[in-house]
Amino acid sequence: MQRTDLIKTLEEAVKLEQRNAEELEKGVEKLKSEVIKSILGSIANDSRKHAKIYEGILRILREVGPAISEDDFTMLEKIVKTHIKMEEEMISTLNKLFGEVDDKRITYLFKYILDDEVKHHKLLLNILDLIVKKEVLTEKDVWDYLWKEVPFHGTPGG
């Protein structure tokens, strides 16, 4: 795919994700089930997150990202360490909750959340590993390093 075609496709993906989020939020307003509203709201949030990620990819394609400075390393290390601890607490809490509930609907939702928390934790650990190395990195280096944890690398199933 040509770079210009890729950019155009990603711009359309941003719009589609944003429209999906807006329509989901509007569609659930009148539902009475708070559980369904919160689940669909979560999907809407994921669509907004995906749109932001696509926008980040577009920035990478359109401009050369700066190297990560020493100040950025210091600030990022503090943020990441804090959030690694928080993710660990959430994972621990969820693992405890599995033993407390017999309702398959609830355990399904716990599992859904746990899967997200584990993904977040792995991503944060990879970022921390980059920080500890304190190499002079370009934005491309960061993405190449983080991409290695994605199981399907953009193919169907991922």
Side-chain angles (χ1 to χ4, degrees):
M1 178 179 278
Q2 296 289 333
R3 188 180 192 95
T4 54
D5 293 335
L6 177 59
I7 288 172
K8 185 175 180 171
T9 300
L10 291 172
E11 289 170 340
E12 289 301 315
V14 169
K15 291 176 190 172
L16 181 61
E17 292 285 3
Q18 290 171 338
R19 190 171 70 240
N20 184 47
E22 290 166 7
E23 289 179 12
L24 268 172
E25 289 167 343
K26 193 165 85 174
V28 300
E29 285 176 355
K30 295 182 181 176
L31 291 177
K32 291 181 178 42
S33 171
E34 289 301 319
V35 172
I36 298 300
K37 284 170 77 170
S38 65
I39 291 169
L40 294 178
S42 174
I43 294 170
N45 287 337
D46 280 354
S47 288
R48 289 192 193 289
K49 174 182 71 178
H50 298 160
K52 289 288 188 192
I53 292 170
Y54 286 134
E55 289 170 348
I57 293 168
L58 285 165
R59 280 192 299 277
I60 290 169
L61 292 171
R62 290 181 175 141
E63 59 195 61
V64 176
I68 297 175
S69 70
E70 188 66 31
D71 287 343
D72 285 347
F73 272 122
T74 302
M75 183 172 40
L76 190 57
E77 182 176 25
K78 182 179 177 184
I79 292 167
V80 169
K81 283 183 175 180
T82 297
H83 288 281
I84 286 172
K85 287 179 184 170
M86 292 171 76
E87 293 290 342
E88 287 171 351
E89 288 176 31
M90 290 182 269
I91 289 168
S92 175
T93 298
L94 281 164
N95 282 323
K96 289 175 188 170
L97 289 173
F98 277 112
E100 302 295 322
V101 178
D102 291 331
D103 189 321
K104 289 183 193 268
R105 298 169 299 177
I106 295 172
T107 57
Y108 174 81
L109 294 172
F110 285 164
K111 175 78 170 98
Y112 176 81
I113 296 167
L114 180 62
D115 289 346
D116 269 0
E117 299 300 354
V118 169
K119 283 190 291 186
H120 299 162
H121 192 254
K122 285 181 183 177
L123 182 61
L124 288 167
L125 288 172
N126 282 340
I127 292 170
L128 183 60
D129 188 43
L130 286 172
I131 295 166
V132 169
K133 288 182 180 178
K134 289 212 184 229
E135 297 172 1
V136 176
L137 300 169
T138 65
E139 191 167 305
K140 181 185 180 311
D141 295 329
V142 172
W143 283 107
D144 287 345
Y145 187 82
L146 295 176
W147 185 246
K148 74 177 185 158
E149 287 297 323
V150 178
F152 298 100
H153 295 281
T155 62

